[in-house]
Amino acid sequence: QVQLVESGGGLVQAGGSLRLSCAASGRTFSSYAMGWFRQAPGKERDVVAAITWSGGNTYYADSVKGRFTISRDNAKNTVYLQMNSLKPEDTAVYYCAARLSYRDYILRLREVEYEYWGQGTQVTVSS
């Protein structure tokens, strides 16, 4: 069982930056692939970024490529999403998700592939 707690959301002006954190409970965090998803009002929840258990492989949605960076610190049981050059269309609730994936180098991009979810953190970008 893994519990995930996101933090770092808030209100920022367009062009600004935020860093989201997702702290995981448990001693086997390094065995989990992690993903960041977001859901805007009236829209489906979509993948934003994903990272494998080792941190060696990452994925970014086209809409955030070059602006967002996913990283993990297995010693701190934490995955991060650094968001730069934020746009109003980045406004959404951001969720982190975890999937037990030790030695699995495939990037997981679909909601159904993740077993554990955080409660979400609101990111609002004003124009």
Side-chain angles (χ1 to χ4, degrees):
Q1 188 80 9
V2 174
Q3 292 185 324
L4 305 173
V5 179
E6 302 100 334
S7 61
L11 174 64
V12 64
Q13 289 188 331
S17 297
L18 285 173
R19 188 176 80 155
L20 304 184
S21 299
C22 174
S25 64
R27 296 177 294 175
T28 59
F29 175 74
S30 59
S31 299
Y32 286 80
M34 302 297 295
W36 283 100
F37 290 73
R38 69 185 180 187
Q39 187 169 24
K43 296 189 176 181
E44 294 184 350
R45 188 156 57 180
D46 293 323
V47 65
V48 174
I51 189 166
T52 51
W53 65 278
S54 65
N57 292 337
T58 57
Y59 164 86
Y60 297 96
D62 287 343
S63 58
V64 307
K65 203 171 293 183
R67 300 188 297 122
F68 290 12
T69 303
I70 188 171
S71 61
R72 65 188 300 157
D73 185 339
N74 288 341
K76 295 183 178 180
N77 282 14
T78 302
V79 64
Y80 304 98
L81 186 68
Q82 178 66 44
M83 307 186 295
N84 299 329
S85 302
L86 283 161
K87 304 175 180 180
E89 51 263 43
D90 294 317
T91 295
V93 178
Y94 284 71
Y95 300 89
C96 71
R99 169 192 168 94
L100 185 61
S101 295
Y102 186 59
R103 296 198 181 276
D104 179 359
Y105 297 92
I106 299 174
L107 287 162
R108 304 297 178 173
L109 308 182
R110 300 183 301 156
E111 279 190 77
V112 295
E113 296 183 287
Y114 286 87
E115 302 159 291
Y116 304 101
W117 291 83
Q119 82 288 350
T121 186
Q122 176 71 46
V123 171
T124 303
V125 184
S126 63
S127 57

